[in-house]
Every structure is written in structure tokens, then in C-alpha cells.
Amino acid sequence: MKDAASGDRSYDYGTPDGAPADPASSPDPAASPSEAPLPAGAEPTTTRPREAVMRPVPDSFPTPPPRPADWNRRRLREEEAAAGSPSPLRPRPLLLAVGAIAALLLAVALGGGYLALRSLPDPAATAPAADPGTGDAAAPGPLVLGDLEVELVSYEPGIPSVGDAGDRRDADGEYAVLTISVTNGSAQSVNLGDSVTLVDEGGTVHAPDREASVVHLADSAPYGMVEPGGTEVFHAVYDVPVGTVIDHAAVDFSRYPAGGSGELPL
């Protein structure tokens, strides 16, 4: 049956007025209930399942965390402990053995270094004794002569010449340079002059060479006055035979009431 409003109505269910059903339009008993035709005016009670559709993942969707590539260490240790076998992840006996060997080697190295240092000779014990004639020995104490005090500053023997290129003096033998400090504790000025001479081991007295003392380049003075309460540093140059060994310096300030005479060891 067709009409203009509904079009082809050949799919209507049932037959009018109890007319026998058209075999072609009768429902198939083997068909599923969802596919069987419904009577006219009835509404379907079930829905046909929808097929799954793969949809693209949105860009804002968070990336799932990666699966761990290694075994769960705690689970592995528990399983191996239950089985009675040591875990390969924690070889404690091997680590303890390696640590003990390393500590032993370190102790041997430190002990060997300490013994090597102990075996070195003492520099102070092996140092050669200072020659008293070179001025390297410890300076003696000051020589006290009344109110005057004379102290050795330095003694340098074996000098071939003194002065500079413009005013040079060559020794007939060799020069010995004596430098002393004089402290005047008296109320009178004191003049050094020729008050200091050198005496060698044979008792020979050597007077200072005035010309060589004047041209000698030093921070001290070759002669001069020491005012009351003052201290001055003087030097004197002596021309002595080569190889002469000086025993002491003879100091004579006896011409001054506050002075005296004595020997200053070198």
C-alpha cells in the first residue's frame, strides 16, 4: 500500500482484519529478537549493541609512564631470600673482602712511608760544624768594659780586595773585615780610632788598614764618635797573611775613665 504522505508502506507489520500473513513478510523464527519485526504501533524494548569505534587520542592526554625494564629489586631479594640463595645485587661477602684488602694495602703504604721518613738522617745532626774563623758560628755575648759595651756583628776573613772599580784596594795577603757595635753608657763621648786589633793563634797583633777601611763598602762607618747613651756600628779592615787564623779581637778603651780593655772572641 502506498500513499503520497508516507511513501512505500510495504514494511508495515501485521495483517489487517485477520488476513493470512504473507509468507514473505512473516518473521523468521531463527532471527534474533532484535532483528524481528514489531507489531504495528509497538515500540522496541531492546537496542542493538553499537560497534566499538577507535578514536584518536587527544594531544593533551598525558603520556602513560613506561613500564620498568628491570626486575623489581625488592621482590627479587625477597624471592631469593626465601629460596636460600644470595642476591647477585648485593654481594656483601665480596664487598667486605675487597674493602678489607684495600684497607690493608693503605695501612702498609702509610706505614712504609713513615718508616722511610724515620730512616732519613737528621739534617741538624749531619750538618757540618761551623768554622769559628768564618763568622758563621754563633756570635758570642757582648764584651762589657765599664760603661761601654762592645758586641760582635760579623767577621769575614779571606777577602782579596775591597772598594769598587773607582777606588779599589788589593790586599798584600788577604783582608779580614771585622764589624762591631759599641754602646756608650757613660756621660763622655768615645772615639773608636785604633781601639780594636786582631790577634792570631800565634799571638801576633794586626792593626787595621785605614785606607782599606775607608774604601770598604758597607752600611757601617770605618771610625767615628759614640755619644753618651748612643750605639754606633763600625767596621775595620785588616791586611793579614794568607791563611792566618785569628783567635780574638783585642779591644782597648782604657784611655777613657768609663772604659777598659778586654778580648772579644771571634
Side-chain angles (χ1 to χ4, degrees), residues 221-252:
Y223 53 86
M225 301 289 294
V226 184
E227 301 298 331
T231 300
E232 299 292 341
V233 178
F234 301 97
H235 67 263
V237 178
Y238 304 84
D239 191 350
V240 300
V242 176
T244 301
V245 178
I246 301 300
D247 181 70
H248 64 272
V251 183
D252 185 10

Side-chain angles (χ1 to χ4, degrees), residues 13-265:
Y13 296 100
T15 56
D17 302 328
D22 186 3
S25 62
S26 299
D28 187 4
S32 62
S34 62
E35 296 177 355
L38 298 177
E43 294 182 358
T45 58
T46 60
T47 58
R48 187 176 182 178
R50 300 175 63 182
E51 296 181 358
V53 178
M54 298 296 293
R55 296 182 179 180
V57 179
D59 295 339
S60 61
F61 192 80
T63 303
R67 297 182 61 185
D70 197 2
W71 286 81
N72 187 301
R73 294 175 178 264
R74 180 177 180 182
R75 181 180 177 183
L76 180 60
R77 289 196 298 268
E78 292 176 354
E79 291 177 356
E80 291 179 349
S85 60
S87 173
L89 299 176
R90 302 179 67 183
R92 292 184 176 180
L94 180 59
L95 289 178
L96 293 176
V98 173
I101 294 175
L104 180 61
L105 293 177
L106 180 61
V108 170
L110 293 177
Y114 175 75
L115 293 177
L117 291 177
R118 289 288 303 273
S119 63
L120 294 177
D122 186 4
T126 58
D131 186 357
T134 61
D136 294 335
L143 174 64
V144 179
L145 303 174
D147 293 334
L148 305 179
E149 185 175 295
V150 181
E151 186 173 5
L152 175 67
V153 175
S154 66
Y155 172 65
E156 303 172 75
I159 299 176
S161 61
V162 294
D164 55 14
D167 194 359
R168 176 175 174 176
R169 294 289 186 274
D170 295 325
D172 294 335
E174 61 182 11
Y175 286 128
V177 180
L178 175 68
T179 305
I180 59 174
S181 67
V182 180
T183 301
N184 184 7
S186 68
Q188 181 182 6
S189 298
V190 175
N191 185 11
L192 182 64
D194 297 333
S195 302
V196 182
T197 57
L198 296 182
V199 181
D200 60 24
E201 291 182 333
T204 304
V205 177
H206 303 272
D209 186 333
R210 279 185 167 270
E211 292 184 357
S213 298
V214 170
V215 300
H216 176 59
L217 302 177
D219 295 333
S220 52
Y223 53 86
M225 301 289 294
V226 184
E227 301 298 331
T231 300
E232 299 292 341
V233 178
F234 301 97
H235 67 263
V237 178
Y238 304 84
D239 191 350
V240 300
V242 176
T244 301
V245 178
I246 301 300
D247 181 70
H248 64 272
V251 183
D252 185 10
F253 285 112
S254 58
R255 63 183 179 275
Y256 299 102
S261 61
E263 296 179 357
L264 181 65

